[in-house]
Amino acid sequence: MPDASSSSTPNGERLPPGMVIGPDGKPCKICTAFRNWRPRAQNTDAHPRSQMGRKNTATMMAAFASGQGFASQPDPDVRPAHCPPDVEELGRATWTFLHSTAAYYPERPTPFQRANMLNLLHALPVLYPCTTCAWHLGENMKDHPPDVSGRVPLSRWLCERHNDVNERLGKPKFNCSIRNLDERWKDGPADGSCD
């Protein structure tokens, strides 16, 4: 599996930072964050005021007259809502689904529930759209098989796998105590702010 941090195509062409090549040898849209997918402008000064200053006076005055001013400049790193998900949105949605599913998994699952949870987890490295992510998860699961014996072990197992991904991406780790997991994925904080 190609490394997600590779900076060139199989042909030796340079890739933009953060761009991932898929198994077909082409840039992988679902494996790349939107901010890394869009081509960068030649101008290195990305401050909205300096961009606005380059516009002609009539355009600038029209923007202020409409009440939009500088705020009318879209953030080039924010994926528009009508676009397909990027790797970050897909990852957040997947982790939300998996952690929430574990939070509501039975304390004493039936053999049928265990089998279905195992099927779900083992399907991820096969079916997940980001092939690099899927490969990493599959390799991780070889060393750390899923524990579907109950709600608490499954929740902790998922948290540990999520932390493995966070560590690889340079993100902070989450405290995998069941109290923290339940607060985040099932009950909400004790202060009632989510009630």
mmCIF file of all heavy atoms in Angstrom, residues 13-59:
data_model
loop_
_atom_site.group_PDB
_atom_site.id
_atom_site.type_symbol
_atom_site.label_atom_id
_atom_site.label_comp_id
_atom_site.label_asym_id
_atom_site.label_seq_id
_atom_site.Cartn_x
_atom_site.Cartn_y
_atom_site.Cartn_z
ATOM 1 N N GLU A 13 6.097 12.618 -10.854
ATOM 2 C CA GLU A 13 5.574 13.983 -10.817
ATOM 3 C C GLU A 13 5.373 14.412 -9.370
ATOM 4 O O GLU A 13 4.923 13.634 -8.542
ATOM 5 C CB GLU A 13 4.232 14.049 -11.556
ATOM 6 C CG GLU A 13 4.293 13.680 -13.014
ATOM 7 C CD GLU A 13 2.903 13.562 -13.621
ATOM 8 O OE1 GLU A 13 1.983 14.254 -13.151
ATOM 9 O OE2 GLU A 13 2.753 12.763 -14.544
ATOM 10 N N ARG A 14 5.701 15.656 -9.061
ATOM 11 C CA ARG A 14 5.535 16.182 -7.707
ATOM 12 C C ARG A 14 4.068 16.397 -7.396
ATOM 13 O O ARG A 14 3.329 16.878 -8.233
ATOM 14 C CB ARG A 14 6.286 17.508 -7.547
ATOM 15 C CG ARG A 14 7.782 17.425 -7.758
ATOM 16 C CD ARG A 14 8.578 16.936 -6.592
ATOM 17 N NE ARG A 14 8.321 17.666 -5.368
ATOM 18 C CZ ARG A 14 8.519 17.142 -4.173
ATOM 19 N NH1 ARG A 14 8.975 15.923 -4.052
ATOM 20 N NH2 ARG A 14 8.265 17.829 -3.103
ATOM 21 N N LEU A 15 3.672 16.035 -6.197
ATOM 22 C CA LEU A 15 2.294 16.231 -5.738
ATOM 23 C C LEU A 15 2.236 17.398 -4.768
ATOM 24 O O LEU A 15 3.210 17.668 -4.074
ATOM 25 C CB LEU A 15 1.800 14.980 -5.010
ATOM 26 C CG LEU A 15 1.592 13.739 -5.836
ATOM 27 C CD1 LEU A 15 1.255 12.571 -4.927
ATOM 28 C CD2 LEU A 15 0.477 13.956 -6.833
ATOM 29 N N PRO A 16 1.074 18.051 -4.696
ATOM 30 C CA PRO A 16 0.916 19.082 -3.667
ATOM 31 C C PRO A 16 1.005 18.435 -2.285
ATOM 32 O O PRO A 16 0.668 17.257 -2.128
ATOM 33 C CB PRO A 16 -0.499 19.622 -3.909
ATOM 34 C CG PRO A 16 -0.897 19.137 -5.259
ATOM 35 C CD PRO A 16 -0.085 17.910 -5.545
ATOM 36 N N PRO A 17 1.460 19.167 -1.266
ATOM 37 C CA PRO A 17 1.512 18.604 0.086
ATOM 38 C C PRO A 17 0.141 18.098 0.511
ATOM 39 O O PRO A 17 -0.875 18.745 0.286
ATOM 40 C CB PRO A 17 1.937 19.793 0.950
ATOM 41 C CG PRO A 17 2.562 20.760 -0.002
ATOM 42 C CD PRO A 17 1.900 20.544 -1.325
ATOM 43 N N GLY A 18 0.088 16.916 1.112
ATOM 44 C CA GLY A 18 -1.154 16.337 1.603
ATOM 45 C C GLY A 18 -1.922 15.531 0.576
ATOM 46 O O GLY A 18 -2.881 14.851 0.918
ATOM 47 N N MET A 19 -1.530 15.572 -0.691
ATOM 48 C CA MET A 19 -2.221 14.813 -1.742
ATOM 49 C C MET A 19 -1.834 13.340 -1.611
ATOM 50 O O MET A 19 -0.679 13.011 -1.397
ATOM 51 C CB MET A 19 -1.831 15.335 -3.124
ATOM 52 C CG MET A 19 -2.458 14.577 -4.283
ATOM 53 S SD MET A 19 -4.242 14.728 -4.382
ATOM 54 C CE MET A 19 -4.410 16.444 -4.808
ATOM 55 N N VAL A 20 -2.824 12.458 -1.743
ATOM 56 C CA VAL A 20 -2.606 11.018 -1.639
ATOM 57 C C VAL A 20 -2.931 10.373 -2.978
ATOM 58 O O VAL A 20 -3.929 10.705 -3.609
ATOM 59 C CB VAL A 20 -3.496 10.409 -0.522
ATOM 60 C CG1 VAL A 20 -3.345 8.908 -0.461
ATOM 61 C CG2 VAL A 20 -3.161 11.041 0.816
ATOM 62 N N ILE A 21 -2.086 9.447 -3.388
ATOM 63 C CA ILE A 21 -2.310 8.692 -4.623
ATOM 64 C C ILE A 21 -3.052 7.407 -4.258
ATOM 65 O O ILE A 21 -2.675 6.698 -3.326
ATOM 66 C CB ILE A 21 -0.967 8.356 -5.312
ATOM 67 C CG1 ILE A 21 -0.286 9.634 -5.780
ATOM 68 C CG2 ILE A 21 -1.176 7.406 -6.488
ATOM 69 C CD1 ILE A 21 -1.052 10.400 -6.834
ATOM 70 N N GLY A 22 -4.105 7.106 -4.995
ATOM 71 C CA GLY A 22 -4.889 5.905 -4.751
ATOM 72 C C GLY A 22 -4.281 4.684 -5.416
ATOM 73 O O GLY A 22 -3.262 4.779 -6.108
ATOM 74 N N PRO A 23 -4.899 3.526 -5.228
ATOM 75 C CA PRO A 23 -4.361 2.288 -5.794
ATOM 76 C C PRO A 23 -4.348 2.289 -7.325
ATOM 77 O O PRO A 23 -3.604 1.532 -7.930
ATOM 78 C CB PRO A 23 -5.277 1.199 -5.244
ATOM 79 C CG PRO A 23 -6.505 1.900 -4.792
ATOM 80 C CD PRO A 23 -6.120 3.310 -4.477
ATOM 81 N N ASP A 24 -5.139 3.160 -7.941
ATOM 82 C CA ASP A 24 -5.164 3.242 -9.402
ATOM 83 C C ASP A 24 -4.070 4.155 -9.940
ATOM 84 O O ASP A 24 -3.962 4.361 -11.147
ATOM 85 C CB ASP A 24 -6.529 3.718 -9.897
ATOM 86 C CG ASP A 24 -6.914 5.094 -9.356
ATOM 87 O OD1 ASP A 24 -6.120 5.692 -8.590
ATOM 88 O OD2 ASP A 24 -8.015 5.563 -9.700
ATOM 89 N N GLY A 25 -3.235 4.717 -9.040
ATOM 90 C CA GLY A 25 -2.154 5.587 -9.461
ATOM 91 C C GLY A 25 -2.567 7.027 -9.685
ATOM 92 O O GLY A 25 -1.757 7.859 -10.081
ATOM 93 N N LYS A 26 -3.818 7.345 -9.431
ATOM 94 C CA LYS A 26 -4.335 8.700 -9.618
ATOM 95 C C LYS A 26 -4.542 9.343 -8.251
ATOM 96 O O LYS A 26 -4.675 8.652 -7.245
ATOM 97 C CB LYS A 26 -5.670 8.660 -10.360
ATOM 98 C CG LYS A 26 -5.573 8.093 -11.756
ATOM 99 C CD LYS A 26 -6.951 8.022 -12.387
ATOM 100 C CE LYS A 26 -6.890 7.367 -13.758
ATOM 101 N NZ LYS A 26 -8.235 7.179 -14.311
ATOM 102 N N PRO A 27 -4.614 10.688 -8.202
ATOM 103 C CA PRO A 27 -4.911 11.328 -6.917
ATOM 104 C C PRO A 27 -6.236 10.808 -6.350
ATOM 105 O O PRO A 27 -7.219 10.662 -7.068
ATOM 106 C CB PRO A 27 -5.007 12.809 -7.277
ATOM 107 C CG PRO A 27 -4.153 12.950 -8.492
ATOM 108 C CD PRO A 27 -4.350 11.656 -9.258
ATOM 109 N N CYS A 28 -6.223 10.498 -5.064
ATOM 110 C CA CYS A 28 -7.394 9.926 -4.388
ATOM 111 C C CYS A 28 -8.152 11.041 -3.672
ATOM 112 O O CYS A 28 -7.690 11.573 -2.666
ATOM 113 C CB CYS A 28 -6.937 8.861 -3.395
ATOM 114 S SG CYS A 28 -8.278 8.120 -2.461
ATOM 115 N N LYS A 29 -9.316 11.384 -4.216
ATOM 116 C CA LYS A 29 -10.104 12.483 -3.653
ATOM 117 C C LYS A 29 -10.608 12.152 -2.246
ATOM 118 O O LYS A 29 -10.555 12.990 -1.356
ATOM 119 C CB LYS A 29 -11.284 12.783 -4.581
ATOM 120 C CG LYS A 29 -11.882 14.135 -4.361
ATOM 121 C CD LYS A 29 -12.863 14.477 -5.452
ATOM 122 C CE LYS A 29 -12.588 15.867 -5.943
ATOM 123 N NZ LYS A 29 -13.397 16.271 -7.051
ATOM 124 N N ILE A 30 -11.094 10.940 -2.019
ATOM 125 C CA ILE A 30 -11.649 10.566 -0.716
ATOM 126 C C ILE A 30 -10.537 10.359 0.319
ATOM 127 O O ILE A 30 -10.791 10.354 1.509
ATOM 128 C CB ILE A 30 -12.568 9.329 -0.821
ATOM 129 C CG1 ILE A 30 -13.438 9.160 0.438
ATOM 130 C CG2 ILE A 30 -11.768 8.060 -1.049
ATOM 131 C CD1 ILE A 30 -14.545 10.139 0.538
ATOM 132 N N CYS A 31 -9.284 10.215 -0.119
ATOM 133 C CA CYS A 31 -8.148 10.021 0.788
ATOM 134 C C CYS A 31 -7.422 11.321 1.103
ATOM 135 O O CYS A 31 -6.454 11.325 1.854
ATOM 136 C CB CYS A 31 -7.143 9.043 0.180
ATOM 137 S SG CYS A 31 -7.813 7.430 -0.215
ATOM 138 N N THR A 32 -7.848 12.427 0.500
ATOM 139 C CA THR A 32 -7.146 13.696 0.608
ATOM 140 C C THR A 32 -8.075 14.748 1.198
ATOM 141 O O THR A 32 -9.233 14.843 0.804
ATOM 142 C CB THR A 32 -6.662 14.152 -0.792
ATOM 143 O OG1 THR A 32 -5.842 13.114 -1.345
ATOM 144 C CG2 THR A 32 -5.878 15.440 -0.716
ATOM 145 N N ALA A 33 -7.562 15.524 2.144
ATOM 146 C CA ALA A 33 -8.356 16.609 2.721
ATOM 147 C C ALA A 33 -8.643 17.649 1.641
ATOM 148 O O ALA A 33 -7.804 17.932 0.792
ATOM 149 C CB ALA A 33 -7.609 17.256 3.884
ATOM 150 N N PHE A 34 -9.823 18.217 1.681
ATOM 151 C CA PHE A 34 -10.255 19.195 0.687
ATOM 152 C C PHE A 34 -9.247 20.331 0.543
ATOM 153 O O PHE A 34 -8.937 20.758 -0.558
ATOM 154 C CB PHE A 34 -11.636 19.740 1.062
ATOM 155 C CG PHE A 34 -12.162 20.762 0.097
ATOM 156 C CD1 PHE A 34 -12.700 20.377 -1.116
ATOM 157 C CD2 PHE A 34 -12.120 22.117 0.407
ATOM 158 C CE1 PHE A 34 -13.191 21.317 -2.008
ATOM 159 C CE2 PHE A 34 -12.607 23.059 -0.478
ATOM 160 C CZ PHE A 34 -13.145 22.651 -1.686
ATOM 161 N N ARG A 35 -8.710 20.799 1.662
ATOM 162 C CA ARG A 35 -7.770 21.918 1.608
ATOM 163 C C ARG A 35 -6.509 21.553 0.828
ATOM 164 O O ARG A 35 -5.809 22.419 0.336
ATOM 165 C CB ARG A 35 -7.425 22.400 3.011
ATOM 166 C CG ARG A 35 -6.615 21.412 3.807
ATOM 167 C CD ARG A 35 -6.263 21.981 5.186
ATOM 168 N NE ARG A 35 -5.626 20.967 5.968
ATOM 169 C CZ ARG A 35 -6.269 20.015 6.630
ATOM 170 N NH1 ARG A 35 -7.578 19.995 6.623
ATOM 171 N NH2 ARG A 35 -5.619 19.102 7.311
ATOM 172 N N ASN A 36 -6.207 20.256 0.714
ATOM 173 C CA ASN A 36 -5.043 19.808 -0.050
ATOM 174 C C ASN A 36 -5.410 19.428 -1.479
ATOM 175 O O ASN A 36 -4.540 19.205 -2.303
ATOM 176 C CB ASN A 36 -4.381 18.617 0.634
ATOM 177 C CG ASN A 36 -3.854 18.973 1.990
ATOM 178 O OD1 ASN A 36 -3.368 20.078 2.206
ATOM 179 N ND2 ASN A 36 -3.965 18.068 2.931
ATOM 180 N N TRP A 37 -6.688 19.304 -1.758
ATOM 181 C CA TRP A 37 -7.138 18.888 -3.087
ATOM 182 C C TRP A 37 -7.167 20.056 -4.056
ATOM 183 O O TRP A 37 -6.785 19.950 -5.196
ATOM 184 C CB TRP A 37 -8.528 18.259 -2.985
ATOM 185 C CG TRP A 37 -9.003 17.706 -4.287
ATOM 186 C CD1 TRP A 37 -9.894 18.274 -5.136
ATOM 187 C CD2 TRP A 37 -8.595 16.491 -4.908
ATOM 188 N NE1 TRP A 37 -10.073 17.492 -6.232
ATOM 189 C CE2 TRP A 37 -9.286 16.380 -6.122
ATOM 190 C CE3 TRP A 37 -7.706 15.483 -4.556
ATOM 191 C CZ2 TRP A 37 -9.129 15.306 -6.978
ATOM 192 C CZ3 TRP A 37 -7.556 14.414 -5.414
ATOM 193 C CH2 TRP A 37 -8.262 14.347 -6.606
ATOM 194 N N ARG A 38 -7.668 21.181 -3.588
ATOM 195 C CA ARG A 38 -7.840 22.343 -4.458
ATOM 196 C C ARG A 38 -6.492 22.931 -4.821
ATOM 197 O O ARG A 38 -5.624 23.075 -3.976
ATOM 198 C CB ARG A 38 -8.688 23.386 -3.748
ATOM 199 C CG ARG A 38 -10.049 22.772 -3.444
ATOM 200 C CD ARG A 38 -11.094 23.736 -3.200
ATOM 201 N NE ARG A 38 -11.210 24.712 -4.248
ATOM 202 C CZ ARG A 38 -11.904 25.819 -4.118
ATOM 203 N NH1 ARG A 38 -12.507 26.069 -3.010
ATOM 204 N NH2 ARG A 38 -11.991 26.670 -5.110
ATOM 205 N N PRO A 39 -6.307 23.283 -6.079
ATOM 206 C CA PRO A 39 -5.038 23.904 -6.472
ATOM 207 C C PRO A 39 -4.864 25.249 -5.784
ATOM 208 O O PRO A 39 -5.821 25.989 -5.588
ATOM 209 C CB PRO A 39 -5.158 24.078 -7.986
ATOM 210 C CG PRO A 39 -6.570 23.793 -8.333
ATOM 211 C CD PRO A 39 -7.242 23.150 -7.163
ATOM 212 N N ARG A 40 -3.648 25.533 -5.406
ATOM 213 C CA ARG A 40 -3.333 26.802 -4.750
ATOM 214 C C ARG A 40 -3.117 27.883 -5.798
ATOM 215 O O ARG A 40 -2.594 27.620 -6.869
ATOM 216 C CB ARG A 40 -2.062 26.678 -3.917
ATOM 217 C CG ARG A 40 -2.211 25.706 -2.777
ATOM 218 C CD ARG A 40 -3.027 26.355 -1.697
ATOM 219 N NE ARG A 40 -3.132 25.443 -0.569
ATOM 220 C CZ ARG A 40 -4.162 25.403 0.221
ATOM 221 N NH1 ARG A 40 -5.189 26.185 0.009
ATOM 222 N NH2 ARG A 40 -4.205 24.572 1.216
ATOM 223 N N ALA A 41 -3.506 29.082 -5.428
ATOM 224 C CA ALA A 41 -3.259 30.228 -6.318
ATOM 225 C C ALA A 41 -1.762 30.491 -6.365
ATOM 226 O O ALA A 41 -1.035 30.179 -5.429
ATOM 227 C CB ALA A 41 -4.007 31.445 -5.796
ATOM 228 N N GLN A 42 -1.312 31.089 -7.424
ATOM 229 C CA GLN A 42 0.104 31.413 -7.567
ATOM 230 C C GLN A 42 0.541 32.414 -6.515
ATOM 231 O O GLN A 42 1.675 32.423 -6.094
ATOM 232 C CB GLN A 42 0.371 31.977 -8.967
ATOM 233 C CG GLN A 42 0.136 30.990 -10.073
ATOM 234 C CD GLN A 42 1.117 29.824 -10.030
ATOM 235 O OE1 GLN A 42 2.188 29.915 -9.453
ATOM 236 N NE2 GLN A 42 0.725 28.725 -10.625
ATOM 237 N N ASN A 43 -0.368 33.262 -6.087
ATOM 238 C CA ASN A 43 -0.059 34.289 -5.098
ATOM 239 C C ASN A 43 0.141 33.631 -3.739
ATOM 240 O O ASN A 43 -0.709 32.891 -3.271
ATOM 241 C CB ASN A 43 -1.228 35.282 -5.052
ATOM 242 C CG ASN A 43 -1.020 36.348 -4.009
ATOM 243 O OD1 ASN A 43 0.051 36.458 -3.426
ATOM 244 N ND2 ASN A 43 -2.055 37.138 -3.792
ATOM 245 N N THR A 44 1.250 33.916 -3.067
ATOM 246 C CA THR A 44 1.502 33.335 -1.752
ATOM 247 C C THR A 44 0.875 34.151 -0.642
ATOM 248 O O THR A 44 0.792 33.701 0.484
ATOM 249 C CB THR A 44 3.022 33.222 -1.494
ATOM 250 O OG1 THR A 44 3.601 34.522 -1.604
ATOM 251 C CG2 THR A 44 3.660 32.260 -2.477
ATOM 252 N N ASP A 45 0.441 35.368 -0.927
ATOM 253 C CA ASP A 45 -0.193 36.217 0.072
ATOM 254 C C ASP A 45 -1.684 35.934 0.057
ATOM 255 O O ASP A 45 -2.405 36.414 -0.796
ATOM 256 C CB ASP A 45 0.090 37.691 -0.247
ATOM 257 C CG ASP A 45 -0.462 38.617 0.829
ATOM 258 O OD1 ASP A 45 -0.973 38.096 1.832
ATOM 259 O OD2 ASP A 45 -0.356 39.840 0.655
ATOM 260 N N ALA A 46 -2.134 35.105 1.004
ATOM 261 C CA ALA A 46 -3.532 34.664 0.976
ATOM 262 C C ALA A 46 -4.435 35.502 1.863
ATOM 263 O O ALA A 46 -5.575 35.155 2.077
ATOM 264 C CB ALA A 46 -3.599 33.199 1.408
ATOM 265 N N HIS A 47 -3.948 36.599 2.414
ATOM 266 C CA HIS A 47 -4.777 37.414 3.290
ATOM 267 C C HIS A 47 -5.897 38.063 2.476
ATOM 268 O O HIS A 47 -5.656 38.666 1.440
ATOM 269 C CB HIS A 47 -3.915 38.484 3.974
ATOM 270 C CG HIS A 47 -4.632 39.137 5.096
ATOM 271 N ND1 HIS A 47 -5.505 40.182 4.908
ATOM 272 C CD2 HIS A 47 -4.638 38.875 6.418
ATOM 273 C CE1 HIS A 47 -5.998 40.553 6.067
ATOM 274 N NE2 HIS A 47 -5.489 39.776 6.997
ATOM 275 N N PRO A 48 -7.153 37.936 2.933
ATOM 276 C CA PRO A 48 -8.277 38.468 2.174
ATOM 277 C C PRO A 48 -8.169 39.953 1.861
ATOM 278 O O PRO A 48 -8.555 40.388 0.797
ATOM 279 C CB PRO A 48 -9.488 38.199 3.064
ATOM 280 C CG PRO A 48 -9.074 37.137 3.994
ATOM 281 C CD PRO A 48 -7.586 37.242 4.136
ATOM 282 N N ARG A 49 -7.609 40.744 2.779
ATOM 283 C CA ARG A 49 -7.520 42.183 2.519
ATOM 284 C C ARG A 49 -6.580 42.464 1.358
ATOM 285 O O ARG A 49 -6.850 43.312 0.525
ATOM 286 C CB ARG A 49 -7.046 42.926 3.764
ATOM 287 C CG ARG A 49 -8.096 42.982 4.818
ATOM 288 C CD ARG A 49 -7.581 43.760 6.017
ATOM 289 N NE ARG A 49 -8.523 43.637 7.090
ATOM 290 C CZ ARG A 49 -9.182 44.662 7.600
ATOM 291 N NH1 ARG A 49 -9.003 45.855 7.140
ATOM 292 N NH2 ARG A 49 -10.038 44.467 8.570
ATOM 293 N N SER A 50 -5.455 41.719 1.290
ATOM 294 C CA SER A 50 -4.527 41.988 0.199
ATOM 295 C C SER A 50 -5.116 41.508 -1.121
ATOM 296 O O SER A 50 -4.898 42.123 -2.155
ATOM 297 C CB SER A 50 -3.177 41.326 0.454
ATOM 298 O OG SER A 50 -3.329 39.941 0.577
ATOM 299 N N GLN A 51 -5.897 40.431 -1.091
ATOM 300 C CA GLN A 51 -6.564 39.980 -2.313
ATOM 301 C C GLN A 51 -7.603 41.017 -2.725
ATOM 302 O O GLN A 51 -7.748 41.342 -3.891
ATOM 303 C CB GLN A 51 -7.243 38.631 -2.092
ATOM 304 C CG GLN A 51 -6.267 37.495 -1.946
ATOM 305 C CD GLN A 51 -6.977 36.201 -1.603
ATOM 306 O OE1 GLN A 51 -8.193 36.164 -1.398
ATOM 307 N NE2 GLN A 51 -6.214 35.128 -1.539
ATOM 308 N N MET A 52 -8.351 41.524 -1.732
ATOM 309 C CA MET A 52 -9.375 42.504 -2.016
ATOM 310 C C MET A 52 -8.743 43.776 -2.568
ATOM 311 O O MET A 52 -9.278 44.405 -3.464
ATOM 312 C CB MET A 52 -10.146 42.821 -0.733
ATOM 313 C CG MET A 52 -11.380 43.602 -0.963
ATOM 314 S SD MET A 52 -12.565 42.576 -1.827
ATOM 315 C CE MET A 52 -14.040 43.263 -1.168
ATOM 316 N N GLY A 53 -7.536 44.134 -2.041
ATOM 317 C CA GLY A 53 -6.866 45.336 -2.486
ATOM 318 C C GLY A 53 -6.460 45.272 -3.954
ATOM 319 O O GLY A 53 -6.318 46.295 -4.607
ATOM 320 N N ARG A 54 -6.294 44.082 -4.485
ATOM 321 C CA ARG A 54 -5.933 43.943 -5.884
ATOM 322 C C ARG A 54 -7.139 44.108 -6.802
ATOM 323 O O ARG A 54 -6.995 44.273 -7.993
ATOM 324 C CB ARG A 54 -5.282 42.594 -6.128
ATOM 325 C CG ARG A 54 -3.856 42.527 -5.615
ATOM 326 C CD ARG A 54 -3.272 41.203 -6.052
ATOM 327 N NE ARG A 54 -2.304 40.690 -5.124
ATOM 328 C CZ ARG A 54 -2.508 40.294 -3.881
ATOM 329 N NH1 ARG A 54 -3.680 40.348 -3.360
ATOM 330 N NH2 ARG A 54 -1.545 39.835 -3.148
ATOM 331 N N LYS A 55 -8.321 44.004 -6.261
ATOM 332 C CA LYS A 55 -9.516 44.170 -7.090
ATOM 333 C C LYS A 55 -9.679 45.646 -7.423
ATOM 334 O O LYS A 55 -9.206 46.524 -6.698
ATOM 335 C CB LYS A 55 -10.759 43.672 -6.348
ATOM 336 C CG LYS A 55 -10.765 42.172 -6.153
ATOM 337 C CD LYS A 55 -12.058 41.763 -5.510
ATOM 338 C CE LYS A 55 -12.124 40.249 -5.401
ATOM 339 N NZ LYS A 55 -13.388 39.822 -4.877
ATOM 340 N N ASN A 56 -10.395 45.887 -8.468
ATOM 341 C CA ASN A 56 -10.580 47.299 -8.808
ATOM 342 C C ASN A 56 -11.504 47.969 -7.795
ATOM 343 O O ASN A 56 -12.238 47.320 -7.055
ATOM 344 C CB ASN A 56 -11.067 47.453 -10.255
ATOM 345 C CG ASN A 56 -12.458 46.916 -10.467
ATOM 346 O OD1 ASN A 56 -13.320 47.050 -9.603
ATOM 347 N ND2 ASN A 56 -12.690 46.318 -11.616
ATOM 348 N N THR A 57 -11.451 49.256 -7.761
ATOM 349 C CA THR A 57 -12.189 50.034 -6.769
ATOM 350 C C THR A 57 -13.688 49.797 -6.863
ATOM 351 O O THR A 57 -14.371 49.680 -5.841
ATOM 352 C CB THR A 57 -11.881 51.527 -6.951
ATOM 353 O OG1 THR A 57 -10.472 51.699 -6.893
ATOM 354 C CG2 THR A 57 -12.544 52.358 -5.886
ATOM 355 N N ALA A 58 -14.222 49.666 -8.068
ATOM 356 C CA ALA A 58 -15.662 49.455 -8.234
ATOM 357 C C ALA A 58 -16.096 48.144 -7.596
ATOM 358 O O ALA A 58 -17.126 48.084 -6.913
ATOM 359 C CB ALA A 58 -16.032 49.477 -9.716
ATOM 360 N N THR A 59 -15.315 47.094 -7.783
ATOM 361 C CA THR A 59 -15.651 45.788 -7.196
ATOM 362 C C THR A 59 -15.611 45.873 -5.682
ATOM 363 O O THR A 59 -16.495 45.358 -4.997
ATOM 364 C CB THR A 59 -14.674 44.714 -7.700
ATOM 365 O OG1 THR A 59 -14.718 44.688 -9.118
ATOM 366 C CG2 THR A 59 -15.031 43.351 -7.149
#
